[in-house]
Amino acid sequence: MTVPMDGPWLDEAAGRLIRPYTVSGGRTRPTAELDLMSLVMATGAASQMYFGPEHSEALGLCQGPTSVAEIAGHLRLPAVVTKILLSDLMDSGAVSVRPPHNFDNPSDCSLLEAVLDGLRRQL
């Protein structure tokens, strides 16, 4: 299986060259509780903290409301590492997070059909 070249962070044979624990600074837990369906959006506020390239890339994905799961997919990082990056951005005021809506019935057919329709449009 080959990995497409996406700049210096990926190698065709080895995959990601930067390990996830390096991206998160060795941390294993985010400072904020984030659900995979939480919506993240950039606030436009300038951060006083220095962030690495992964933080900048995550921030760039948050110009409109974007779920944590979608950001993790675009970054090609594990969800927990993505949550750590996003919690850093939250702590600096660069992004705001809205919790997911609570669904009374997660097995509601109309909800499942809407998800299936969205997935089909992506393919």
Side-chain angles (χ1 to χ4, degrees):
M1 182 167 120
T2 61
V3 178
M5 293 295 289
D6 279 345
W9 304 114
L10 294 175
D11 177 273
E12 190 170 327
R16 181 173 278 282
L17 295 175
I18 305 297
R19 297 286 179 218
Y21 62 83
T22 304
V23 173
S24 66
R27 295 173 289 156
T28 60
R29 291 197 171 100
T31 59
E33 287 290 324
L34 295 170
D35 188 274
L36 286 176
M37 297 306 296
S38 295
L39 295 177
V40 184
M41 188 161 172
T43 62
S47 173
Q48 302 299 323
M49 300 172 66
Y50 168 76
F51 291 119
E54 291 83 7
H55 287 89
S56 298
E57 191 176 348
L59 185 59
L61 294 169
C62 300
Q63 298 310 307
T66 310
S67 72
V68 172
E70 188 174 355
I71 295 167
H74 284 291
L75 295 177
R76 296 182 184 166
L77 288 171
V80 70
V81 174
T82 303
K83 289 178 182 183
I84 292 169
L85 297 176
L86 293 173
S87 67
D88 291 345
L89 293 169
M90 281 178 58
D91 294 344
S92 74
V95 298
S96 62
V97 177
R98 187 176 73 208
H101 295 289
N102 288 330
F103 296 105
D104 292 333
N105 184 3
S107 63
D108 179 29
C109 283
S110 61
L111 172 65
L112 295 175
E113 287 173 5
V115 169
L116 182 59
D117 183 49
L119 290 172
R120 284 181 179 147
R121 281 184 273 156
Q122 295 295 321
L123 299 175

